[in-house]
Amino acid sequence: MNANIWTHVRARIDLRALADNFRLIRNVASNPVPVIKSDAYGHGMPEVAQALFAAGARTMAVGTVGEGVFLKEHLPEADALSLLGPLDEADYRVACERDLLVVAGNEEQLLRLEETAKRRGTAARVALKFETGMGRLGFAPEEAEQLAETLRGLRHIRVGLICSHLSSAELPGQIEYTREQGRRFDRIMRILSGRGIVAPGSLANSGAVLAHPELHYAWQRPGISLYGGNPFHGTDWEEKGRGFRQVMEVSTRLLEVRTLRAGQAVSYGATYVASGDMRVGIVGTGYADNYPRGLSGKGWMLLHGRRVPVLGRVCMQMTAVDLSHVPEARVGDRVFLLGGGGPEHISADEMADWWGSVSYEVFCLLGKNPREYVR
């Protein structure tokens, strides 16, 4: 049984905000393919996919082939692009059975897809992935000509997309690096087109969607901006990412209110010692609820519209906060770990800064708690 059913922590997902964010992206992008990998960044793939489909999305990008199957089971009308592509024999078989569009970034994947599709008497739909500067997966740009020749001999492969991934589109200081990735991708597209391999191109992530319109190509793949994260947080371009609403809000309960006397410590390791008498609250969350221990002595929560600092170490299911400036706080009050509304609301970008991470991780972790949806 999932122990999360006993936790007081709840993640509230506002699907109206998600749809609004998608519409904002459609104002600047011709064909956005929303990225819903990793359980929609912790927001819940089935519910997110349904909301995006209702808002007009028809193709959605998942991570694994298994996620593609999951999407098709819950939303058969949607098309699935698997960004990781097939990784084992079952993936190759299912990709052909379910007619998924799957990334292939090396010759072995292409040959195995060809063999599987031939054996099953069908065709495999492929997104050719090129490595243009991320340093991870994909064909090298100089392989483009040979790849075109290889594809001529593969009768069961249908190229549905040509793609790459930008590493630094959200960084003002990396404009030239991003443009160079674009130039490499453009050369690849021209080489393939000149040899009869014609398919839509896809390069732009959230950063490029909002800051590099020249790199949009036919398909765009927005991710973090869909969920209300600002890809330009902490940079001179921060204004470019404003206007999106945070989709996730996470809250719990205040379990205890007590007085900490001068000289008394709170939590493990006695890392916080009161300099004077103070009112302290014990909040029902900890690292077992994916509230990071890295927020010990650094994080903030929201109670009655005011921020309260985390005191001492985050425990497994409890965390102490300073209630000095919230005299009306009572046991049972709702405490927001993320969101909370009002001018003091807590953003995923801020929380990530406090613990030295990124908003993606904030959403993926806190989204593992029981979720409820606003439709």
Side-chain angles (χ1 to χ4, degrees), residues 170-249:
E170 70 283 358
L171 300 176
Q174 295 289 345
I175 291 178
E176 184 52 37
Y177 192 87
T178 300
R179 287 174 177 168
E180 177 57 29
Q181 280 197 260
R183 287 190 288 267
R184 290 171 188 162
F185 189 68
D186 197 53
R187 287 194 294 270
I188 291 164
M189 292 287 288
R190 284 189 277 107
I191 289 171
L192 293 177
S193 176
R195 285 154 180 77
I197 310 299
V198 180
S202 180
L203 184 62
N205 54 8
S206 286
V209 165
L210 299 171
H212 299 278
E214 73 281 6
L215 301 180
H216 279 193
Y217 290 91
W219 292 17
Q220 305 82 41
R221 306 192 309 273
I224 194 65
S225 57
L226 277 173
Y227 306 102
N230 189 336
F232 310 109
H233 175 71
T235 77
D236 293 339
W237 284 355
E238 195 152 2
E239 194 61 35
K240 293 180 183 290
R242 295 198 191 282
F244 296 94
R245 295 163 57 196
Q246 188 165 286
V247 175
M248 182 185 293
E249 180 175 81

Side-chain angles (χ1 to χ4, degrees), residues 23-83:
R23 293 186 187 102
L24 283 177
I25 291 169
R26 290 188 75 174
N27 288 338
V28 296
S30 61
N31 185 28
V33 174
V35 180
I36 60 170
K37 65 181 180 180
S38 301
D39 200 22
Y41 292 32
H43 292 71
M45 184 190 290
E47 294 82 2
V48 164
Q50 290 281 357
L52 290 170
F53 191 85
R58 292 297 177 263
T59 301
M60 303 182 204
V62 299
T64 64
V65 168
E67 285 183 337
V69 172
F70 189 70
L71 172 62
K72 296 290 285 184
E73 287 176 347
H74 286 84
L75 191 60
E77 305 95 329
D79 198 9
L81 164 63
S82 169
L83 297 172

Side-chain angles (χ1 to χ4, degrees), residues 29-340:
S30 61
N31 185 28
V33 174
V35 180
I36 60 170
K37 65 181 180 180
S38 301
D39 200 22
Y41 292 32
H43 292 71
M45 184 190 290
E47 294 82 2
V48 164
Q50 290 281 357
L52 290 170
F53 191 85
R58 292 297 177 263
T59 301
M60 303 182 204
V62 299
T64 64
V65 168
E67 285 183 337
V69 172
F70 189 70
L71 172 62
K72 296 290 285 184
E73 287 176 347
H74 286 84
L75 191 60
E77 305 95 329
D79 198 9
L81 164 63
S82 169
L83 297 172
L84 284 178
L87 304 177
D88 56 28
E89 189 58 41
D91 280 357
Y92 286 97
R93 174 178 51 79
V94 170
C96 294
E97 284 178 355
R98 297 300 186 100
D99 192 33
L100 304 179
L101 178 58
V102 293
V103 160
N106 58 65
E107 188 170 298
E108 180 185 354
Q109 284 181 310
L110 279 179
L111 295 178
R112 291 186 68 179
L113 282 166
E114 166 75 7
E115 177 60 31
T116 304
K118 179 180 178 181
R119 192 165 59 244
R120 304 193 66 81
T122 185
R125 292 196 300 139
V126 171
L128 299 175
K129 173 76 173 283
F130 282 86
E131 201 297 288
T132 58
M134 189 70 170
R136 299 191 310 189
L137 305 176
F139 294 99
E142 56 269 22
E143 293 181 276
E145 292 189 19
Q146 179 56 51
L147 175 59
E149 291 302 313
T150 299
L151 287 167
R152 289 180 188 276
L154 303 181
R155 305 300 181 198
H156 299 270
I157 296 293
R158 302 291 180 266
V159 178
L161 187 69
I162 302 166
C163 62
S164 187
H165 193 61
L166 296 169
S167 75
S168 309
E170 70 283 358
L171 300 176
Q174 295 289 345
I175 291 178
E176 184 52 37
Y177 192 87
T178 300
R179 287 174 177 168
E180 177 57 29
Q181 280 197 260
R183 287 190 288 267
R184 290 171 188 162
F185 189 68
D186 197 53
R187 287 194 294 270
I188 291 164
M189 292 287 288
R190 284 189 277 107
I191 289 171
L192 293 177
S193 176
R195 285 154 180 77
I197 310 299
V198 180
S202 180
L203 184 62
N205 54 8
S206 286
V209 165
L210 299 171
H212 299 278
E214 73 281 6
L215 301 180
H216 279 193
Y217 290 91
W219 292 17
Q220 305 82 41
R221 306 192 309 273
I224 194 65
S225 57
L226 277 173
Y227 306 102
N230 189 336
F232 310 109
H233 175 71
T235 77
D236 293 339
W237 284 355
E238 195 152 2
E239 194 61 35
K240 293 180 183 290
R242 295 198 191 282
F244 296 94
R245 295 163 57 196
Q246 188 165 286
V247 175
M248 182 185 293
E249 180 175 81
V250 183
S251 64
T252 184
R253 296 180 185 178
L254 188 60
L255 303 181
E256 176 78 355
V257 176
R258 61 190 312 111
T259 299
L260 200 64
R261 301 299 180 188
Q264 279 189 312
V266 66
S267 197
Y268 290 109
T271 59
Y272 181 84
V273 179
S275 58
D277 291 358
M278 63 186 298
R279 204 158 171 261
V280 170
I282 306 302
V283 179
T285 193
Y287 51 80
D289 310 299
N290 297 290
Y291 190 75
R293 195 169 184 266
L295 291 174
S296 298
K298 299 177 183 177
W300 297 76
M301 299 182 192
L302 195 71
L303 177 59
H304 290 289
R306 276 158 282 174
R307 290 191 176 189
V308 293
V310 171
L311 302 178
R313 289 181 180 162
V314 173
C315 306
M316 187 177 290
Q317 292 181 303
M318 292 180 284
T319 300
V321 296
D322 182 357
L323 298 182
S324 299
H325 301 292
V326 193
E328 69 272 34
R330 297 290 182 270
V331 170
D333 284 351
R334 193 178 187 194
V335 183
F336 290 93
L337 315 179
L338 187 67

